[in-house]
Amino acid sequence: MSTLAQGVEGGSPALNISIFGLFVLVTLVIVFRASRNTKTASDYYAAGRSFSGPQNGTAISGDYLSAASFLGIAGAIAVYGYDGFLYSIGFLVAWLVALLLVAELLRNTGKFTMGDVLAFRMRQRPVRAAAATSTLAVSFFYLLAQMAGAGGLVSLLLGIEADAGQALVIAIVGVVMITYVLVGGMKGTTWVQIIKAALLIAGAFAMTVWVLGKYGLNLSSLLGSAAERSGDGEAVLNPGLQYGESGTTKLDFLSLGIALVLGTAGLPHVLMRFYTVPTAKEARKSVVWAIVLIGLFYLFTLVLGYGAAAIVGSDTISNAPGGENSAAPLLAEALGGPVLLGFIAAVAFATILAVVAGLTITASASFAHDVYANVIKKGQVDSKDTEVRVARITACVIGAIAIAGGILAKDQNVAFLVALAFAVAASANLPTILYSLFWKRFNTSGALWSIYGGLTVTIVLIVFSPAVSGTEDSMITGADFSWFPLENPGLVSIPASFLLGWIGTMLSKEHLEDKHKEMEVRALTGAGAEKATAH
């Protein structure tokens, strides 16, 4: 089996590319058709609020099940066993927080972006600028993960090991993604995500049944085989393989868990999906659909991860081009040869494209709607077309930055990179959203302290953590400027952001209780929010 990685490289690059090319062609046709109805800012940002709960729930699962879920988690389970599955649990449990605390209230309160929600009861210009800053920061970290996944996947499938070749592929993925966003807006992007979710869940289901079929549909037999093939033996079935060596790694695990569970409710591209439905009831329904589909998928990752360990072998996965991220493609190759590998590769590419498109439209909408229209132009935009045009220009700039960042981070585990994005979202966005929805005394000063303070603390801790320097697996291997011991800063940065929001509020004499009452009525009833428009 040790020659399997080389076999994949020499598999069938032409087949892989042709299947992926077919997917891109079909989705581009759909995006062009959807774009014919994109006339207003509401159409571009929120798809004209025309999607039903089940449709939006499927799109949310397509948006959320990123390269981290498919490539990163399967790889983490294959190599670390039980500890790798903790990513799945964290990502899924997080949806309960989103459902109970933010989905319906945000849908009722906002129009297009998180800045709309905060500006409802605060001074518009400063909070919109802050919300846009944090949205762009979270989107950047998340985009890094997707682009890194694209580079690793292509190096595996096409045998491109040269850095220049991987960089070119990341650039091509970036260009296709920008095309989706420029042409189709939110409506086109949503349809891409619905198609991708259906393909991803169907592909994962087929592989799960196939793997279990090899072991007589006996999960216990599969786990036994995975333990035999793993270099760590029975330890792969128990907690502690990755996060049990010392007190620091246990704290790292706790920090990771907190960031995963609280991060989803602050992810801007997930929050923006709640605005694409016509009513709060549909927003709730879409979250329930998302939980069911995402939960199913994460159960599949358990079988896929242990299946890869049993059939391919943990050592082969660790040594393959793309490292842990190559577990699912290697398993597909072992099960169904080049045809299944080509399909799974195309699905993984589609996953990256759809998620990146969703992130890009969120970041560009936040800049155009919050910064350009409401901060720079003070709400006096010449025409509705101008704001959408600025959003499209912003999408090109964000795409270029994402391509550059993806080239830098191409060797990292994508699930780990996404966990950093979750830490930024949970620290910079979630405290501000919760305070704004539930705390009467909360004011503009508190929001600015919470967003900028949480963002600064998180990014500083990430930069000076082992994730960036100081170890063999760091982004910058030749240097060591890490003084913060944890790889994920959530344990420190999230409480710090809540504390900063409280301090900032108490130090300010501004009182906005009346606006909070109005916001509370609107959040709970949806009064006045149904026909929200761009201005």
Side-chain angles (χ1 to χ4, degrees):
M1 196 62 82
S2 62
T3 58
L4 182 60
Q6 287 73 30
V8 173
E9 286 178 34
S12 181
L15 180 69
N16 299 337
I17 287 294
S18 58
I19 294 175
F20 176 59
L22 183 66
F23 171 84
V24 170
L25 198 65
V26 170
T27 48
L28 276 175
V29 169
I30 291 166
V31 165
F32 273 107
R33 288 179 65 84
S35 70
R36 289 188 297 191
N37 298 322
T38 302
K39 296 183 178 69
T40 66
S42 178
D43 289 334
Y44 187 78
Y45 296 143
R49 307 187 201 282
S50 59
F51 286 97
S52 67
Q55 283 176 327
N56 194 46
T58 308
I60 287 175
S61 64
D63 214 345
Y64 193 70
L65 295 173
S66 65
S69 298
F70 189 46
L71 303 176
I73 293 177
I77 294 171
V79 176
Y80 300 112
Y82 183 97
D83 283 12
F85 190 52
L86 295 170
Y87 279 105
S88 290
I89 296 166
F91 283 146
L92 180 60
V93 170
W95 274 102
L96 297 177
V97 179
L99 175 65
L100 297 173
L101 291 180
V102 299
E104 181 182 352
L105 301 177
L106 275 181
R107 161 64 193 79
N108 286 341
T109 314
K111 295 179 182 179
F112 305 126
T113 66
M114 187 178 83
D116 284 333
V117 177
L118 301 181
F120 188 84
R121 56 174 292 211
M122 319 258 173
R123 294 203 309 277
Q124 285 234 4
R125 295 178 74 193
V127 296
R128 282 189 184 277
T133 303
S134 73
T135 295
L136 291 168
V138 176
S139 299
F140 172 72
F141 277 101
Y142 218 105
L143 281 166
L144 272 190
Q146 306 311 314
M147 293 304 201
L153 190 65
V154 169
S155 66
L156 179 81
L157 297 169
L158 306 184
I160 301 173
E161 296 211 37
D163 287 346
Q166 288 190 39
L168 178 64
V169 168
I170 290 172
I172 291 167
V173 169
V175 170
V176 175
M177 160 271 287
I178 292 167
T179 307
Y180 282 150
V181 175
L182 292 184
V183 174
M186 181 57 96
K187 190 171 283 186
T189 302
T190 300
W191 279 115
V192 171
Q193 285 159 346
I194 289 172
I195 295 164
K196 178 226 114 169
L199 283 174
L200 181 62
I201 292 169
F205 173 72
M207 281 177 66
T208 300
V209 172
W210 202 324
V211 168
L212 285 174
K214 277 184 169 290
Y215 294 91
L217 300 179
N218 186 334
L219 184 61
S220 180
S221 175
L222 167 64
L223 296 178
S225 180
E228 282 173 30
R229 289 297 308 279
S230 167
D232 300 292
E234 292 285 327
V236 82
L237 305 178
N238 299 314
L241 190 57
Q242 186 179 11
Y243 293 110
E245 295 155 19
S246 66
T248 305
T249 51
K250 286 176 182 172
L251 274 179
D252 224 339
F253 161 62
L254 182 62
S255 189
L256 172 72
I258 291 171
L260 294 182
V261 169
L262 297 180
T264 296
L267 285 176
H269 67 295
V270 170
L271 298 179
M272 196 166 172
R273 292 235 62 91
F274 298 137
Y275 305 132
T276 64
V277 290
T279 64
K281 182 182 177 185
E282 293 298 319
R284 280 197 309 275
K285 202 184 288 182
S286 61
V287 176
V288 172
W289 268 81
I291 289 173
V292 170
L293 292 172
I294 292 165
L296 265 177
F297 180 82
Y298 284 142
L299 285 176
F300 297 156
T301 60
L302 184 65
V303 176
L304 295 180
Y306 277 120
I311 295 168
V312 180
S314 303
D315 292 340
T316 308
I317 291 165
S318 299
N319 297 326
E324 291 170 30
N325 301 331
S326 61
L330 283 170
L331 176 63
E333 217 267 350
L335 290 173
V339 175
L340 184 61
L341 173 65
F343 174 74
I344 293 302
V347 168
F349 265 131
T351 298
I352 291 164
L353 277 176
V355 174
V356 165
L359 283 164
T360 307
I361 196 166
T362 303
S364 61
S366 183
F367 179 83
H369 185 63
D370 292 327
V371 178
Y372 176 77
N374 289 289
V375 175
I376 297 171
K377 291 289 187 179
K378 303 181 184 177
Q380 306 299 313
V381 182
D382 307 335
S383 71
K384 291 181 180 179
D385 296 338
T386 308
E387 192 179 317
V388 174
R389 190 167 69 249
V390 170
R392 287 181 164 139
I393 294 167
T394 310
C396 294
V397 175
I398 291 163
I401 295 169
I403 289 166
I407 291 167
L408 182 69
K410 64 181 180 297
D411 296 324
Q412 297 288 313
N413 180 308
V414 284
F416 165 70
L417 285 172
V418 163
L420 293 184
F422 273 63
V424 177
S427 306
N429 294 351
L430 186 64
T432 320
I433 291 169
L434 293 182
Y435 276 150
S436 190
L437 289 171
F438 299 110
W439 187 21
K440 277 190 263 192
R441 176 78 174 78
F442 194 53
N443 55 30
T444 309
S445 171
L448 298 180
W449 275 55
S450 180
I451 292 176
Y452 287 128
L455 196 57
T456 305
V457 168
T458 313
I459 289 175
V460 166
L461 294 182
I462 287 173
V463 168
F464 293 104
S465 76
V468 174
S469 71
T471 71
E472 291 176 12
D473 300 324
S474 302
M475 287 186 199
I476 304 169
T477 48
D480 184 2
F481 45 84
S482 63
W483 49 260
F484 182 68
L486 304 180
E487 289 194 341
N488 193 298
L491 189 62
V492 175
S493 61
I494 297 169
S497 184
F498 274 103
L499 180 63
L500 286 167
W502 180 80
I503 291 171
T505 301
M506 301 315 286
L507 289 178
S508 169
K509 293 186 170 61
E510 185 181 40
H511 283 268
L512 302 165
E513 278 89 343
D514 290 343
K515 279 298 255 182
H516 176 264
K517 286 175 189 168
E518 188 184 339
M519 185 175 181
E520 192 172 40
V521 169
R522 183 157 164 172
L524 293 173
T525 64
E530 297 307 329
K531 303 292 182 187
T533 56
H535 307 296

